Amino acid sequence: MTPLLVAAGALVAIGAAVGTGARDARIASLGLAVMLAAAPFVANPLPGPLPLAFGVVAGILAGFLVFVAARRVPNHAGPPLGLPATLGAAAAGFAVGISATAVALPRLGPDAALAAGLAACAVAVGPIAVTRDIFRLGSALIVLVGGAILVLTALAGTPEPLTGIAAGVVLVALAGAVAAVTGGAVAATGGTAVPDGLPGRRAAATRAGGDR
Amino acid sequence: MSVLPFLALAIVGAVIATLLREFRRLGTLAGLGAVVVALAAAGLINPDTPLSIGGGALAGSDHLRLVLTLCLAGGLLVLIVARLATWQPSAPGALLGGAAGIGFALGLAGTPPGLLGAAAATIAASVLALGSPAAPSRIRALARELRGAATSLVIGLIAAGIVPGVAPAPGAAPAEPAAASLVLLGMALVVAHRFGAIPLHARVSRLADAAPSGALPILAAWLPAAWGLIILGWAPAALGPSSVGLGLERGLVVTLALATLLFGTVAALIQDEVEHVVAYTIVADAGVALLALAALDPAARDAARAWILVFATTRTAMIGWTIAFRAAFGTGRLRDTTGWLRRAPALGVALTGILVAAVAWPGLLAWDARLTILQSATAGPALLLAYAGSLGTGAAICRVLVVGGGRPSAIVASSLGELPRLPAGLVAQAAVPMPDGAPPAGAIAAAGALARRLRVAAAAAGRDARPTLELNRIPLRAFAVILLAGLALLAAGGAFGIDAAARAPGPMLPSPAPFVGG
């Protein structure tokens, strides 16, 4: 485990914490972009130049798509946890991952990837479980998937280029979905809160009338 | 290489259908046309040389061709039924996007890329189906779908990642029992969530409420089927050697499967809305998918690869039937539509066909594949219970048919029948004799008169095509649903070489990563 690897892992963890804990949605999207762009570097050995570049570009593109959505988020819609608490959770997850050597977890990848992955999962679980804000939920889902890919890297070793490419596609698709659903929520409800209540059974006239 | 043209056409078609969805007529033509083109391309997929991509590979197979062909053919018929009932602009794009994602997921070598492809397909199809037009119920449903797809992906990736760590050479050594049990339970959770097994069943039912009905086949049947194919294709190879030490975990999965089969059947039997009946038959059959996973047996895997095709095709047909039913009577509530068979006998014929396809009989692929799965995972009383539960879909359909045989309700009595009709003007013009002169004599003159009369009728029919179509939406819908039932029957009977395709090995690769869909 090299210091550079740990530094890249720490950058991912901080990016994940900012992505899920920053009050300003645009700063959160910046944190996401940092996390996703740094994540491909947390591997030993590093992926080839082309898959690495693809991962970085996909991460930046995903962050940009979330930034597009962030511009429509009202200022009052903050994360469920503040930034300090989220940073604390990320630090705890990172420490657990780095200490995994102590329990001899069988794996083929670096500790730093496990640390960064666990940190990302730790900060993402809270918003996914409790938030009713569609933007925060989407950001947390992106962080969770990014964290899972890092955990996969830690357990199974540096992913094959095809896996890296597919992961980049999924992250971009998820970011696009976040942009779409955030825009739709703002258009339909004027905010980014997931509407309350169970979906009612559609009346016959409504369903027969189609989508519009 | 044969997968690439399909992927290109499906993706381009999805983009075009989505861009043109604001235009009712043009959007309909573009959407249906794109599905037809993608269907033709899917029919040309064959088990050819894998295409190397980034250290992995993409290849076609007979099974992939069948998955995509049945998905698109069934989806096309459902779109036609839906278009004859209402206007659902987002459905064609969702079908094409989802089918392209399924093509990626099942065509890629290796489990993690397959899971990533399935997640991308789920996300794309959900956004295309539910993203526009924005409505609170759809936003809620989309958020639920995104959350479910992402968490399923995360669990699946981590579970798939644990196995190489504990058993580096595939098939060489059994995985460590503790790790193998975690992996099995994780994958069971993913299958349960994707198919909607109890207690994770709310997703399917709420999706049936919120999603456009034309997009339901891809969202509720084919995408879960793709997830199932990937995981069921991976499990026997990854966990088979460890299956002896997984008795408790397999018992837990079997228990969950039995509970799903029984409670899903009960739920399907007590639902009042026909869409919910279909949703809970999907929930009930999640139990069969879980049993296929718990078996950890290559024979059960092959049977599951065949059964899943029958499952998804019959559910597609049932969804098409519900659209036609709701459009015919203006409601989907069974309590308001007693005696519906009197007004819609063609729908009754179609539903009977779907019933036969869903239940089947010994010797038919649907029956044999289901029984193989049940026998691989259970024995004794549990097998009996599973067997009874697996007939739940048939019981739910029988209940709908029994309701249809009752005394017609006021809604049913006031609804239109299924007989074809012609516009009044057209009928009158076709019946008019020759306008002038004496009636012609002789065979040649009579034939000429008939030809002139036919020309008049054809011209009038061309002019009145739109009113004729408007008048005959109900019989046309019924005809399309009968075609759907026929497709389901063919799949249940093992047509198109389903059995051989399910048993065929995937393309050979230099890499040890197996093709999950091949």
Side-chain angles (χ1 to χ4, degrees):
Chain A
M1 187 168 59
T2 65
L4 276 178
L5 215 51
V6 176
L11 193 61
V12 168
I14 292 169
V18 173
T20 52
R23 183 163 186 80
D24 189 321
R26 282 169 289 192
I27 293 176
S29 65
L30 187 65
L32 267 181
V34 168
M35 178 218 161
L36 297 175
F41 292 95
V42 193
N44 191 15
L46 278 177
L50 204 58
L52 196 65
F54 186 89
V56 172
V57 170
I60 292 171
L61 179 57
F64 174 73
L65 287 170
V66 176
F67 178 78
V68 170
R71 289 189 301 180
R72 306 185 69 174
V73 175
N75 288 331
H76 57 79
L81 290 176
L83 187 56
T86 312
L87 281 169
F94 196 84
V96 168
I98 285 288
S99 314
T101 321
V103 294
L105 184 71
R107 63 193 180 283
L108 306 174
D111 291 339
L114 189 62
L118 288 184
C121 291
V123 299
V125 165
I128 289 172
V130 301
T131 190
R132 301 199 61 76
D133 186 291
I134 200 81
F135 175 79
R136 302 293 172 181
L137 172 66
S139 302
L141 290 176
I142 293 171
V143 170
L144 184 71
V145 172
I149 292 164
L150 284 168
V151 173
L152 177 70
T153 304
L155 293 173
T158 303
E160 288 187 358
L162 181 61
T163 306
I165 291 170
V169 170
V170 169
L171 287 170
V172 171
L174 198 51
V178 171
V181 75
T182 303
V186 171
T189 66
T192 52
V194 180
D196 284 325
L198 292 171
R201 292 179 180 182
R202 283 201 275 179
T206 308
R207 194 186 281 270
D211 287 355
R212 55 186 64 192
Chain B
M1 284 293 285
S2 58
V3 185
L4 273 187
F6 164 75
L7 292 176
L9 289 170
I11 291 171
V12 169
V15 170
I16 291 174
T18 304
L19 289 177
L20 294 178
R21 64 184 171 184
E22 299 301 325
F23 308 98
R24 181 180 285 247
R25 189 170 297 178
L26 193 58
T28 301
L29 288 175
L32 295 183
V35 175
V36 169
V37 171
L39 175 60
L44 297 175
I45 291 175
N46 56 64
D48 49 14
T49 311
L51 174 69
S52 292
I53 301 176
L58 178 76
S61 67
D62 289 331
H63 193 258
L64 178 59
R65 182 184 67 243
L66 284 175
V67 170
L68 293 173
T69 307
L70 289 173
C71 169
L72 286 168
L76 177 65
L77 287 170
V78 169
L79 286 178
I80 290 171
V81 175
R83 184 62 188 93
L84 288 167
T86 177
W87 169 234
Q88 296 182 340
S90 54
L95 175 65
L96 286 165
I102 290 173
F104 263 123
L106 300 184
L108 291 174
T111 304
L115 289 171
L116 287 161
T122 307
I123 291 166
S126 303
V127 170
L128 289 170
L130 298 163
S132 174
S137 65
R138 289 189 169 193
I139 292 164
R140 214 162 31 225
L142 182 51
R144 196 181 306 113
E145 286 300 299
L146 293 181
R147 197 190 321 235
T151 47
S152 295
L153 172 65
V154 168
I155 294 170
L157 280 182
I158 293 175
I162 287 175
V163 173
V166 295
E176 195 175 304
S181 65
L182 268 180
V183 169
L184 176 62
L185 292 177
M187 285 301 194
L189 191 60
V190 175
V191 171
H193 188 263
R194 291 293 87 203
F195 277 86
I198 287 173
L200 305 170
H201 57 283
R203 173 189 153 266
V204 181
S205 175
R206 292 175 187 171
L207 190 63
D209 281 326
S213 40
L216 268 182
I218 190 78
L219 293 177
W222 287 101
L223 284 169
W227 283 86
L229 286 170
I230 291 165
I231 293 173
L232 296 176
W234 161 89
L239 297 177
S242 316
S243 60
V244 178
L246 293 174
L248 177 64
E249 293 78 11
R250 293 170 69 193
L252 276 174
V253 177
V254 168
T255 306
L256 179 65
L258 292 178
T260 298
L261 280 167
L262 296 178
F263 291 126
T265 299
V266 171
L269 286 171
I270 62 174
Q271 295 299 318
D272 192 38
E273 295 265 354
V274 286
E275 290 87 358
H276 287 184
V277 173
V278 176
Y280 278 98
T281 62
I282 294 173
V283 168
D285 276 354
V288 181
L290 281 171
L291 287 176
L293 177 64
L296 294 179
D297 178 12
R301 174 199 58 201
D302 293 346
R305 283 158 59 84
W307 172 81
I308 277 182
L309 289 178
V310 179
F311 156 80
T313 310
T314 51
R315 294 320 178 274
T316 301
M318 288 178 78
I319 290 166
W321 183 87
T322 61
I323 298 170
F325 183 87
R326 182 176 281 278
F329 299 111
T331 176
R333 295 168 78 97
L334 287 173
R335 81 178 74 157
D336 295 336
T337 50
T338 52
W340 61 266
L341 269 172
R342 309 268 181 96
R343 283 290 184 191
L347 285 184
V349 170
L351 191 59
T352 307
I354 296 170
L355 168 67
V356 172
V359 176
W361 60 81
L364 226 56
L365 173 74
W367 179 281
D368 292 344
R370 195 173 59 226
L371 201 58
T372 303
I373 294 170
L374 301 186
Q375 287 173 337
S376 299
T378 58
L383 175 59
L384 191 64
L385 212 57
Y387 178 75
S390 71
L391 300 177
T393 299
I397 295 176
C398 283
R399 174 194 166 225
V400 177
L401 285 169
V402 167
V403 169
R407 175 178 295 191
S409 66
I411 289 177
V412 169
S414 61
S415 64
L416 294 172
E418 287 179 330
L419 285 176
R421 287 179 296 276
L422 290 173
L426 182 58
V427 175
Q429 285 174 21
V432 166
M434 291 306 298
D436 52 356
I444 295 176
L450 182 63
R452 277 193 294 277
R453 187 170 295 176
L454 283 176
R455 273 203 302 277
V456 170
R463 190 176 59 245
D464 296 333
R466 191 173 177 78
T468 308
L469 179 68
E470 293 294 332
L471 276 175
N472 289 288
R473 281 173 181 257
I474 294 175
L476 286 172
R477 279 196 301 259
F479 179 66
V481 174
I482 287 175
L483 289 181
L484 273 169
L487 190 66
L489 277 171
L490 286 173
F496 316 116
I498 291 178
D499 196 24
R503 293 175 195 280
M508 297 305 291
L509 288 175
S511 148
F515 272 79
V516 289

